[in-house]
Amino acid sequence: DLTNVVRDVITPDITTIQQRAFENSNVGHVEGGNIETIASYAFNKATSLKTIDLSKVKTIRSSGMNGCTNFTNNDTNVLHLPEVTSLGTSALSGMKLQQVYLPKIVTLDTYCLGNMPNLEYVEIGSNIESINSHTFDNSKNLDTLKIDLPKESIEVPDNRWGAPTVITILWQGESLDDIVGSGLPCTYEVLPVEGASYGFELNADGYYESTNKKKDDTVAICKVEFYANGKDKLYLDCINYGENTYDY
């Protein structure tokens, strides 16, 4: 086992860094521009690692670079991963990077960008399909998360994927207002319609229900006003009905 002796590694033809290959090692620099996969725990807690060519990497699996606390990417503290589509659990956790760019990312797993004390900015491209609700946990200085959302918007969970502060979102290249707090910044109000005999009232379960129950041949009508900060997309769906031909 030479992993605690070797400081520089040259890998011109290697496409995969195998599982635990340099875990807990003293390797400081890895050269070779053909690496496509960093397997689980490949550089886990390799605290001496400072540079590695990641230009062709597509996948960093679970704890692939977890705990690489001295990785600075040539002293820039900025990491561009132009081909990466998947970051596994804790893939980059614990690193001291300030900015991460992921233009082709599809999946972000648990804590993959978590526990990063210096992380301030993350940019995600329009291929994103899945962001784990704990992706950014304990990255306490994360200020801006920019997402160029695909046509089918990703749901923003109440904890904002663990991000502590502001989330800036791009919708098809057009900037929306910042999202702060839980979920999307949209509220609504149910209002009566003038002249209507029956309307809707808020019940004990927090739902609005019609006031014309058991009154045949009647109609309940209300007005719903939505208040949105930005250009949110609104979906309306039938959530309940009585008879299958009317009484919606």
Side-chain angles (χ1 to χ4, degrees), residues 82-98:
E83 301 298 326
V84 166
T85 59
S86 175
L87 289 179
T89 300
S90 299
L92 303 178
S93 180
M95 299 178 77
K96 294 182 179 178
L97 298 164
Q98 293 178 339

Side-chain angles (χ1 to χ4, degrees), residues 8-66:
D8 299 302
V9 177
I10 301 175
T11 61
D13 300 317
I14 293 177
T15 58
T16 299
I17 304 295
Q18 297 294 338
Q19 184 171 334
R20 302 186 187 275
F22 298 102
E23 185 176 27
N24 295 310
S25 72
N26 290 326
V27 168
H29 305 278
V30 178
E31 298 181 13
N34 291 312
I35 301 170
E36 296 182 358
T37 301
I38 296 179
S40 298
Y41 301 93
F43 292 99
N44 183 46
K45 297 182 179 178
T47 56
S48 296
L49 184 66
K50 291 186 177 180
T51 60
I52 180 174
D53 189 341
L54 301 172
S55 60
K56 293 185 180 180
V57 171
K58 298 178 180 179
T59 301
I60 302 177
R61 294 185 176 144
S62 297
S63 297
M65 298 183 71
N66 171 59

Side-chain angles (χ1 to χ4, degrees), residues 118-131:
N118 299 335
L119 187 64
E120 298 175 354
Y121 181 91
V122 176
E123 188 167 314
I124 296 171
S126 60
N127 293 331
I128 189 66
E129 294 179 0
S130 175
I131 304 177

Side-chain angles (χ1 to χ4, degrees), residues 149-183:
L149 287 173
K151 292 181 179 179
E152 291 75 24
S153 177
I154 287 181
E155 181 180 354
V156 181
D158 287 347
N159 73 340
R160 291 162 289 157
W161 307 296
T165 52
V166 176
I167 297 176
T168 299
I169 291 188
L170 291 181
W171 171 254
Q172 295 178 337
E174 187 174 354
S175 181
L176 301 184
D177 290 343
D178 291 342
I179 291 180
V180 182
S182 300

Side-chain angles (χ1 to χ4, degrees), residues 7 91 132 136 168 171 180-181 214 236 240 242 244-245:
R7 298 299 179 96
N132 185 276
F136 304 102
T168 299
W171 171 254
V180 182
K214 299 182 180 179
L236 296 177
N240 197 11
N244 59 10
T245 56

Side-chain angles (χ1 to χ4, degrees), residues 151-153 171 226 232-238:
K151 292 181 179 179
E152 291 75 24
S153 177
W171 171 254
F226 293 89
D232 298 322
K233 182 172 283 189
L234 175 66
Y235 296 90
L236 296 177
D237 195 6
C238 172

